[in-house]
Amino acid sequence: MIKSALDNLSLEKFTYYLQSNGWRRVPYNNDRMIVFARTEAEGESSDLVTLPASEKYSDSAVRIAEAVKRLADIEETTPQDIAGRIQSTEQDIISLRLLLPPNELPSVEVTSYLFQGLRNLIIYGACMEKTSKRRFDQPLKLGKEQARHFQFAHTFQGSFGFTIESQVTETHSFPWRNDHSRPLQRKVLERITRGFLFAQNAQQKQDSDEISQNFEQGFNANMCDAAAEMLQALQDTQILY
């Protein structure tokens, strides 16, 4: 049932996923297996996940599949979801979903505005990480390079949904742990996320200062223009980010 989701699911990615989500390796008396434990609350017994020590073993694929199912039970989700999370440990992902009426699809013109706005969010988000300015007359070369780095991935079911992916290569340095080692692409996505949150607060408070006073952490004028371009094209259609 989950064979396709387990394709190319490496042992290295699995162990990295566990370690980055609070699991720790514990001693085990069988050198063919490695065991990870996690305790949710003090005084409770630890959850355990067992993996093969090497992908060279003939039963390693079966053991990894069993570990995925075990982790899905612990996380109270599906094996497909767990496999997807593990596969995406080397990626940062933006997911956008338009809440359209049943059986309705967006026009080509609407989607062109949507993608153009998202492209400009990425471009000027990267520019802001280089030089913090309220507005750029022209995007920096760095911004255009980042627009080429991000990739348009598969659409997903549920109204109209799509994903934008950014490959992260420095996984083993745990790049989110300190500002100096975090890759630029991750900083750009974090800025976009903060910008949307500031915009949401501004809407709730009916106070645009929530955006302008936080431009160094969120949207500058160019990014505001990009977000407005996206939302104007959608009119009354809600978008989940």
Side-chain angles (χ1 to χ4, degrees):
M1 179 176 64
I2 63 170
K3 183 181 184 300
S4 60
L6 289 175
D7 288 346
N8 301 318
L9 184 59
S10 69
L11 182 61
E12 183 181 27
K13 277 190 176 182
F14 204 149
T15 56
Y16 175 78
Y17 174 83
L18 291 172
Q19 290 171 338
S20 61
N21 284 277
W23 293 81
R24 70 187 189 283
R25 185 173 175 179
V26 295
Y28 192 61
N29 58 8
N30 184 344
D31 59 7
R32 290 177 58 87
M33 308 297 294
I34 52 177
V35 178
F36 289 87
R38 187 179 69 180
T39 304
E40 292 292 345
E42 187 176 350
E44 293 185 358
S45 58
S46 297
D47 293 317
L48 299 177
V49 171
T50 303
L51 289 168
S54 172
E55 292 178 332
K56 296 179 181 179
Y57 299 146
S58 59
D59 62 347
S60 64
V62 174
R63 297 295 186 188
I64 289 174
E66 291 173 348
V68 168
K69 293 177 182 178
R70 168 63 179 159
L71 189 56
D73 289 340
I74 294 171
E75 301 289 349
E76 297 181 349
T77 186
T78 64
Q80 291 89 340
D81 180 51
I82 291 295
R85 294 183 195 178
I86 296 170
Q87 291 282 26
S88 65
T89 55
E90 295 177 344
Q91 294 172 323
D92 286 334
I93 299 173
I94 302 175
S95 294
L96 296 170
R97 183 158 68 96
L98 308 184
L99 300 182
L100 298 168
N103 302 318
E104 183 176 322
L105 294 174
S107 69
V108 172
E109 184 173 5
V110 166
T111 53
S112 69
Y113 279 109
L114 186 67
F115 287 121
Q116 181 65 27
L118 183 58
R119 172 181 176 271
N120 286 337
L121 279 178
I122 293 170
I123 287 176
Y124 287 105
C127 293
M128 285 292 288
E129 292 300 326
K130 177 69 173 179
T131 305
S132 183
K133 296 178 64 175
R134 288 190 176 274
R135 175 179 287 277
F136 292 90
D137 293 331
Q138 294 292 331
L140 304 177
K141 179 182 178 182
L142 176 70
K144 294 181 179 180
E145 289 173 350
Q146 289 309 300
R148 290 191 291 269
H149 170 84
F150 285 83
Q151 297 179 322
F152 177 56
H154 296 290
T155 55
F156 56 87
Q157 192 172 7
S159 294
F160 181 83
F162 60 92
T163 56
I164 303 295
E165 296 181 352
S166 166
Q167 192 73 19
V168 179
T169 56
E170 301 95 330
T171 52
H172 299 291
S173 64
F174 292 87
W176 60 86
R177 296 288 175 85
N178 66 79
D179 188 70
H180 298 292
S181 63
R182 280 160 53 238
L184 174 60
Q185 297 80 24
R186 176 160 290 163
K187 294 179 182 180
V188 171
L189 290 194
E190 290 173 346
R191 175 177 291 276
I192 293 173
T193 301
R194 289 194 302 268
F196 277 129
L197 291 174
F198 289 135
Q200 179 178 309
N201 291 339
Q203 181 184 34
Q204 292 172 347
K205 296 179 179 180
Q206 293 296 295
D207 184 2
S208 61
D209 286 347
E210 283 289 313
I211 300 174
S212 60
Q213 290 178 357
N214 292 293
F215 83 96
E216 291 183 339
Q217 293 80 41
F219 291 168
N220 75 338
N222 304 98
M223 297 180 75
C224 285
D225 289 343
E229 185 177 24
M230 295 171 62
L231 298 176
Q232 185 176 5
L234 296 172
Q235 297 181 346
D236 296 328
T237 301
Q238 287 187 314
I239 181 170
L240 296 182
Y241 168 81

